[in-house]
Amino acid sequence: MRACISSLLLAAVAGSQLISAAPIAAVSGGVGLVGRDDGIVVDYVPASVDWNKVDWSQVNWSAVNWDAVNWQSVFSSRDTIPSSSETTYSSTQDQLGSAAVISAPAANSTPELSNAPESSAAPEPKPVVPEPSPVVPEPSPVVPEPSPVVPEPSPVVPEPSPVAPEPSSSSEKPSPVASEAQPPAPTTTSKPEYTSSSPPPKPEPSTSAAPDPQPPANSGGSLWGLTYSPYNIDGSCPDLATVSSQLKKVAQVTGNIRLYSTDCSQLRLAVQAVKNNNLGLTIHPGIWISDGASRMQSDLDEFVSVVKQYGSDIINGLSVGNEDLSKGTSESTLIGYINQVRSRLQAEGLGHIPIYATEQDAHFTSSLANVCDLVQVNIYSIFDSIFTSIDASVKSVIQRADNIRNNVAGGKPVRFGETGWSAAGNTGPSPLSLANQIAYAQKFKCAAASAGYEYFYFEAKNSQWKQGAAASEQNFGIFSADFVPKFDFGLLNYC
């Protein structure tokens, strides 16, 4: 017998859809499709069915005789339908990869399906099969598209913040050591007014981009050296506990400190703090000459006294004055002071200690260099009339040091006595901020080490003790005035 197919027969055959509109002969033996008067039913479905490829929208669901489905054979291991001369279907494939859903035999209408067997044949036993398991879902006319593959998210590496956070203003102030008797501030001398605000005539910085500095070889700690002025915020002299506390922090950043004077017993306190706490710092003292010969002599006497008492093992050099030529002192007077100090040290058996002047690079001459054991110059780009970038500012000071090395020093070592960047105030076009202070310190440190320069970075702590000075002059420190770090010094360890 034959059943007429009035709707489409759909199936996935080896990755393609099988659409059949031709009559399909009854097939006996329960293989694949089985013809009956009430339609053609499914005998089995291969296990490898690709349900996603069935065009469910073409199925005439109302004509399906679900009671005739042989559920025990669904998803059987059979993968092919035996060939039969009575079976005809249109397909370019030989495998039936999905259930065939057949319409009722009526040509113009869909008759009510019946489960009754033909009268001339023994009734086909209806299998006792439980309702289909949820494993075999009832076909839905809408086939969900396969879920898209969601790529694994790329790890997001946070970029380092270019500006270190502002440090907390709170810090624990060390208690003074009661047993240490501290000398009072001298009444006949004035504190040295260390300034970096008097710009010498300098060449304009190069506007070309500075090359990225290479990691310097054996560059040591974060900074080669720091200038250190120990005065309290109100301008009074510190005690040993204060100097010790501060130098313990300084020793974590550098191995060298520069002092400008011996007043307030600062050299004596610094030597005691270093030796008592094994800080490993080398001290580069100075004597103040800006207030005349009497002050120079007082500072020199104190220097000799300290070295004789504590030794010269952590003393490395002595600077005679600081930027005195730019303050009006004549070069001949300065040279006279240098020769006087050298004679005194030789007479005291301290002639091995290097002696030198510290001047702005624009004022350092070959004549002055001839009487110095090394050439120490203060160089700033923060006062330049043109600013293009921090890189260009760093390149400018290195070029100016190169000029001293090549044309003034006469083969003697050249060292930066001061350089730095203020975090506040105004000196002209150079933008003063904490972010630029950090950038300058990091880039200068790398460039100086790469070029072979020792240096003292200006300065350890903010100079609020310089009462009445410009904000730019008071904010060069890498520590606040109460000695709280202004940024993470670990940022200075990379080039």
Side-chain angles (χ1 to χ4, degrees), residues 254-276:
T254 186
N256 297 275
I257 59 170
R258 177 191 172 194
L259 305 179
Y260 290 85
S261 177
T262 62
D263 71 325
C264 279
S265 298
Q266 61 179 281
L267 175 59
R268 187 177 301 273
L269 295 178
V271 171
Q272 290 176 352
V274 171
K275 286 182 173 288
N276 292 348

Side-chain angles (χ1 to χ4, degrees), residues 153-175:
S154 301
V156 178
V157 180
E159 296 186 1
S161 173
V163 180
E166 291 282 353
S168 170
S169 60
S170 62
S171 64
E172 208 171 291
K173 198 169 185 179
S175 301

Side-chain angles (χ1 to χ4, degrees), residues 15 31 33 78 100 115 118 152 168 223 250 357 375 381 389 450-451 487-488:
V31 179
L33 304 177
R78 290 183 293 174
N115 294 329
E118 297 180 31
E152 293 186 6
S168 170
L223 296 172
V250 167
V375 176
S381 58
S389 67
S450 182
F487 57 91
D488 178 7

